C-alpha cells in the first residue's frame, strides 16, 4: 500500500471507498487487513498521512459496528535491523462475543476489548511475533523491508494464527529470465520455508494458520517469454563498456519485424496487455509455479482474479499494468491443511455473505459468529 501514502489525495480516497464497499457487501464479523510497505517509500515524510489513514479507518461510519480493533504498525524506520513497514489491522464486529488474543510472552489468551494501536517498536509487544529476514537472505538488496508479523486468535474455541508477510522481489527482469526457476524464486522459497518452520516450531501449541500478504510470487519468466514470443527472434543489446546484456528485443519473424517484447532490468514492455486480463489471465496460471514447492504445507482457494501486480499508480489508469514487470499474482491468501478444511466446512454449511461459523476440525460446530 506504499503508493497510498505517496499520493494520498487521489489513491487513498479511492482505496478507502473500495475497502468500505467490500465491508458493506460481505459484512464480515472478524476482519483482518494485512498491509505491506505501510507509509510508502518516504516514510518519514509520510508519517502524518499514516496517522490520518489509521484514524479514518477506526472512526469511519462504515466501520461503526466494529467496536473492537487491534492495529499493529511497524513504524520504526530508523532501525535498519528491525524495520519491516508491515501494518496489521484486525476489526471485530459488535455481534461477535468472547474473542481472545494470544499473549506470546505469557503463553495465554486474553479477552479482546476496546480499540488499541501499537506502533514504533513492536518487538516489545507480547501480543505478536515479528521478524525481519536476515540481510544474507537477499544480499544484493542493501536495505530491504521484508519480514513477517504473526498474531494468534481464538473464536468459539477455535484457535488460529494470522501471518502478515512480505517476501523478496525480483531485482532484475534480465536475471529472472536467465534460469527456470529463477534465482529470486529460490530466495523466496527459503524465506517462506523459514516462516512456516517458525510458526509450527515447539514453542507454542500448533494451530491452523493463514499466511497472507505480498509473497512477490512471479510467473516463471523464461517460460512466459518463450510462450508469448514463440515466433519471435531475439536481439541482444549489450553495454559498450562492460559487454553486459542491458536489453532484449523480441521481434516477429514477419509482419515487418514488429517488436513484441522489450526486456530490461526494470522494463517488461509487451505489445498486448490484454493477455494478462482476458479471463483473469487464466491462460498464464500454468506459469505460476512457486507455490508448488509447498504443496503439502500450504493451500489456497482457486484464483479468480487477474494478476495483482504491477498495476499503474495513476488513479486514472487503474486497470492498466505498468511496463516494469511481467504481471503476476504476487498477493495471495494461503492456509495450512487444517485451515483449508475449516474454511471448506464452513463454506459448505453457510454459503452466504455475513454468515459464518467456525470450529476445530473433527469437533461439532460451534455457535455461529
Amino acid at each position: 500500500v506504499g503508493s497510498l501514502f505517496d499520493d494520498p489525495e487521489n489513491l487513498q480516497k479511492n482505496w478507502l471507498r473500495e475497502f468500505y464497499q467490500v465491508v458493506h457487501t460481505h459484512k464480515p464479523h472478524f476482519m483482518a487487513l494485512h498491509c505491506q510497505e505501510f507509509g510508502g517509500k518516504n516514510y518519514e515524510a509520510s508519517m502524518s498521512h499514516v496517522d490520518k489513514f489509521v484514524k479514518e479507518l477506526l472512526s469511519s461510519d462504515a466501520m461503526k459496528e466494529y467496536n473492537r480493533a487491534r492495529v499493529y504498525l511497524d513504524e520504526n524506520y530508523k532501525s535498519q535491523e528491525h524495520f519491516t513497514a508491515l501494518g496489521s489491522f484486525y476489526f471485530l464486529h459488535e455481534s461477535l462475543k468472547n474473542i481472545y488474543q494470544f499473549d506470546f510472552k505469557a503463553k495465554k489468551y486474553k479477552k479482546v476489548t476496546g480499540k488499541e494501536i501499537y506502533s514504533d517498536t513492536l518487538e516489545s509487544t507480547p501480543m505478536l511475533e515479528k521478524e525481519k529476514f536476515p540481510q544474507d537472505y537477499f544480499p544484493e538488496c542493501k536495505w530491504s523491508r521484508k519480514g513477517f508479523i504473526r498474531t494468534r486468535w481464538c473464536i468459539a474455541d477455535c484457535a488460529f494464527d494470522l501471518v502478515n508477510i512480505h517476501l523478496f522481489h525480483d531485482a532484475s527482469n534480465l536475471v529472472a529470465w536467465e534460469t527456470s526457476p529463477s534465482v529470486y524464486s529460490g530466495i523466496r522459497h527459503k524465506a517462506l520455508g523459514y516462516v512456516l518452520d517458525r510458526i509450527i516450531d515447539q514453542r507454542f501449541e500448533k494451530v491452523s494458520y493463514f499466511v497472507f500478504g505480498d509473497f512477490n510470487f512471479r510467473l516463471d519468466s523464461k517460460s512466459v517469454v518463450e510462450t508469448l514470443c514463440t515466433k519471435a527472434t531475439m536481439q541482444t543489446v549489450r553495454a559498450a563498456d562492460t559487454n553486459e546484456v542491458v536489453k532484449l528485443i523480441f521481434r516477429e519473424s514477419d509482419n515487418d519485424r514488429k517488436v513484441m517484447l522489450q526486456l530490461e532490468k526494470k522494463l517488461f514492455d509487451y505489445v498486448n496487455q490484454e493477455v494478462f486480463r482476458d479471463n483473469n489471465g487464466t491462460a498464464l496460471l500454468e506459469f505460476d509455479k512457486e507455490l508448488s514447492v509447498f504443496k503439502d504445507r500450504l493451500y489456497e482457494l482457486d484464483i479468480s482474479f487477474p494478476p495483482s501486480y504491477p498495476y499503474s499508480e495513476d488513479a486514472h489508469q487503474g486497470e492498466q499494468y505498468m511496463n516494469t514487470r511481467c504481471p503476476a499474482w504476487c498477493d495471495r491468501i494461503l492456509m495450512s491443511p487444517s485451515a483449508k478444511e475449516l474454511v471448506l466446512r464452513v463454506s459448505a454449511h453457510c454459503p452466504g455473505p455475513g454468515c459464518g461459523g467456525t470450529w476445530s476440525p473433527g469437533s461439532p460446530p460451534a455457535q455461529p459468529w
Side-chain angles (χ1 to χ4, degrees), residues 120-175:
D120 199 19
T121 51
L122 296 183
E123 285 73 29
S124 59
T125 305
M127 307 309 287
L128 58 80
E129 284 197 320
K130 190 202 92 171
E131 286 190 51
K132 180 177 179 177
F133 296 120
Q135 180 67 44
D136 61 6
Y137 272 42
F138 198 34
E140 66 179 273
C141 187
K142 294 179 181 178
W143 189 65
S144 75
R145 296 176 291 183
K146 307 299 191 288
F148 70 95
I149 290 178
R150 168 198 192 186
T151 56
R152 176 169 291 188
W153 306 82
C154 186
I155 302 176
D157 297 325
C158 176
F160 55 93
D161 283 350
L162 300 178
V163 182
N164 185 355
I165 192 168
H166 194 183
L167 297 183
F168 301 99
H169 61 284
D170 281 13
S172 168
N173 293 324
L174 295 170
V175 173

Side-chain angles (χ1 to χ4, degrees), residues 27-46:
K27 298 179 173 57
H29 290 171
F30 181 98
M31 180 163 43
L33 170 64
H34 285 178
C35 302
Q36 300 80 43
E37 295 191 6
F38 203 80
K41 296 179 180 69
N42 191 354
Y43 206 96
E44 193 165 5
S46 300

Side-chain angles (χ1 to χ4, degrees), residues 3 17 63 89 145 156 161 179 202 224 255 257 302 349 368:
S3 53
R17 186 179 66 247
M63 304 295 289
F89 295 72
R145 296 176 291 183
D161 283 350
T179 58
Q202 301 301 314
V224 170
N255 195 22
R257 308 265 301 146
D302 291 340
H349 281 77

Side-chain angles (χ1 to χ4, degrees), residues 25 55 68-69 74 83 111-112 153 199 205 237 242 252 254 258 262 280-281 312 333 342 357 365 367-368:
T25 300
K55 185 176 180 180
R68 288 152 294 169
D74 188 1
F83 184 49
K111 190 169 185 177
V112 180
W153 306 82
I199 62 180
E205 178 188 0
V237 180
T242 63
E252 291 188 36
D254 44 26
K258 180 181 177 182
Q262 296 183 79
N280 288 326
S312 170
I333 298 175
L342 197 64
Q367 291 298 313

Side-chain angles (χ1 to χ4, degrees), residues 68 70 97-101 109-113 127:
R68 288 152 294 169
R70 291 293 182 271
K97 309 300 181 188
N98 298 324
I99 308 303
Y100 298 87
Q101 188 181 1
Y109 288 93
K110 295 182 178 179
K111 190 169 185 177
V112 180
T113 60
M127 307 309 287

Side-chain angles (χ1 to χ4, degrees), residues 340-369:
K340 181 189 178 186
E341 182 181 341
L342 197 64
V343 168
L344 294 180
R345 289 178 65 180
V346 171
S347 298
H349 281 77
C350 184
C355 178
T358 183
W359 56 90
S360 301
S363 67
Q367 291 298 313
W369 288 358

Side-chain angles (χ1 to χ4, degrees), residues 175-236:
V175 173
W177 178 82
E178 289 174 353
T179 58
S180 174
S182 78
V183 61
Y184 304 119
S185 175
I187 294 170
R188 287 188 284 272
H189 291 165
K190 181 180 178 182
L192 181 53
Y194 174 83
V195 174
L196 296 182
D197 290 342
R198 184 70 171 156
I199 62 180
I200 62 169
D201 62 20
Q202 301 301 314
R203 294 170 303 140
F204 307 104
E205 178 188 0
K206 293 181 182 179
V207 301
S208 301
Y209 55 85
F210 297 84
V211 186
F212 52 111
D214 182 2
F215 293 84
N216 260 314
F217 288 164
R218 306 301 171 97
L219 303 185
D220 187 78
S221 186
K222 195 168 186 63
S223 301
V224 170
V225 171
E226 288 173 355
T227 300
L228 294 178
C229 303
T230 305
K231 298 180 180 180
T233 56
M234 185 181 78
Q235 174 189 350
T236 302

